[in-house]
Amino acid sequence: MTDSWEKELIVRAARYYYIRKKTQKEIADMLHVSRMRVIRLLEKAEQENVVQISIHNSFRERLETEQTLIEQYNLDDAFVVPSEETRNAISLNDSIAKAAAMYIDEHFSDNPIINVGYGDTTGRIMNYFSQISAKKPTYVSLTGGVSIYLLNTRFSVGNASLYLIPAPLVASTQEIVEAIKKETAVIEISRMHTTASCSIIGIGGVDDEATVIKSGIMQKNDLDFLKMQGAVGDVLAHFFDENGNFIETDMESHLITYPPSSLKKLNNVIAAAAGEQKCTAIRAALRARHFDILVTDEETAKWLIKNK
């Protein structure tokens, strides 16, 4: 049982630390005890309920949503953007991109190698990362389509290195695809993929706003045909059904993109995706665990939890 003087020291240490915002050294000097003693006093303050640390309801709900997502879908991590932030953002993609850039800046090394898939959101992530971070990343494209990456990125190359697969995303023949894969530059970039700290991918939908349509990669009738085959979304231009199973199409043999069978071999695959039109696609990719970490918004996260 803690004696009265010990109790007094615990209360005083807690008051100085949590209310007056004193450092542990300052508290040690004020109480004429060692810094190690202050650490133990603060630990006891929590153990004996002298101090009760709580998280505001609005934050707690979002953190609980993240944890539920992680548990339900066996993720390594999740980052859920507050609804008010997405409502006030220029666009949902913009808000998700900012969040993903902050997540990467917080979790990975000073000079990270980052694999990047094509898409509007991933381009925005690179732009925001250059604005918020002092780190010097090396970006490595996961697909062909040089113009896609250059159009979607406006960051200063002085702050980053960018390695692009020198090829289109879709080639006219399978023979051209095989020839491109044998090029030295392409082989060297492929080797970089497995050394990356993380990989950023988007989850594409199958609506008229899909990136593959807006960027001219596919025609609407091609997408409609894929939908007839059960496609609900794509990752790196590989289309999958509602359970995340990849659909074999003639287009696959014309793609210059990271193979779907090897996605799980990459380190820390981060999917940045949100929105009502993408919910089914994100759920399908989650079911097949095509990625390890999800960055999304509250409304999408709650739908995914409710409709697992």
Side-chain angles (χ1 to χ4, degrees), residues 108-169:
F108 298 101
S109 63
D110 287 344
N111 299 298
I113 298 175
I114 304 172
N115 293 327
V116 186
Y118 75 90
D120 176 71
T121 305
T122 52
R124 290 171 189 258
I125 291 169
M126 288 189 280
N127 292 329
Y128 278 120
F129 191 84
S130 68
Q131 294 174 25
I132 68 171
S133 178
K135 296 177 181 179
K136 296 182 178 180
T138 296
Y139 295 114
V140 186
S141 67
L142 284 165
T143 73
V146 174
S147 61
I148 299 171
Y149 287 91
L150 294 180
L151 286 172
N152 284 332
T153 54
R154 300 175 299 280
F155 59 87
S156 168
V157 292
N159 191 46
S161 300
L162 178 61
Y163 290 84
L164 298 176
I165 296 173
L169 175 55

Side-chain angles (χ1 to χ4, degrees), residues 139-144 146 162-167 177-193 256:
Y139 295 114
V140 186
S141 67
L142 284 165
T143 73
V146 174
L162 178 61
Y163 290 84
L164 298 176
I165 296 173
V177 172
E178 294 306 318
I180 288 173
K181 287 180 178 178
K182 293 176 183 176
E183 290 291 328
T184 302
V186 176
I187 292 171
E188 288 177 355
I189 288 176
S190 297
R191 287 173 179 162
M192 294 178 73
H193 288 148
I256 299 169

Side-chain angles (χ1 to χ4, degrees), residues 54-180:
S54 63
I55 299 174
H56 191 277
N57 285 344
S58 60
F59 295 108
R60 184 170 66 242
E61 182 180 354
R62 185 160 53 87
L63 293 174
E64 288 173 353
T65 299
E66 290 177 350
Q67 189 58 38
T68 303
L69 268 180
I70 291 167
E71 292 172 359
Q72 281 196 4
Y73 290 99
N74 194 29
L75 288 166
D76 290 347
D77 203 0
F79 185 8
V80 174
V81 181
S83 295
E84 58 268 21
E85 287 190 20
T86 57
R87 282 193 292 267
N88 296 331
I90 297 172
S91 71
L92 180 57
N93 281 0
D94 205 60
S95 180
I96 298 303
K98 284 182 184 178
M102 289 189 293
Y103 184 94
I104 294 166
D105 187 46
E106 179 69 27
H107 287 79
F108 298 101
S109 63
D110 287 344
N111 299 298
I113 298 175
I114 304 172
N115 293 327
V116 186
Y118 75 90
D120 176 71
T121 305
T122 52
R124 290 171 189 258
I125 291 169
M126 288 189 280
N127 292 329
Y128 278 120
F129 191 84
S130 68
Q131 294 174 25
I132 68 171
S133 178
K135 296 177 181 179
K136 296 182 178 180
T138 296
Y139 295 114
V140 186
S141 67
L142 284 165
T143 73
V146 174
S147 61
I148 299 171
Y149 287 91
L150 294 180
L151 286 172
N152 284 332
T153 54
R154 300 175 299 280
F155 59 87
S156 168
V157 292
N159 191 46
S161 300
L162 178 61
Y163 290 84
L164 298 176
I165 296 173
L169 175 55
V170 183
S172 56
T173 68
Q174 186 175 357
E175 288 74 22
I176 291 176
V177 172
E178 294 306 318
I180 288 173

Side-chain angles (χ1 to χ4, degrees), residues 201-216:
I201 60 171
I203 305 294
V206 291
D207 60 293
D208 292 345
E209 295 299 309
T211 301
V212 289
I213 297 295
K214 293 172 74 175
S215 61

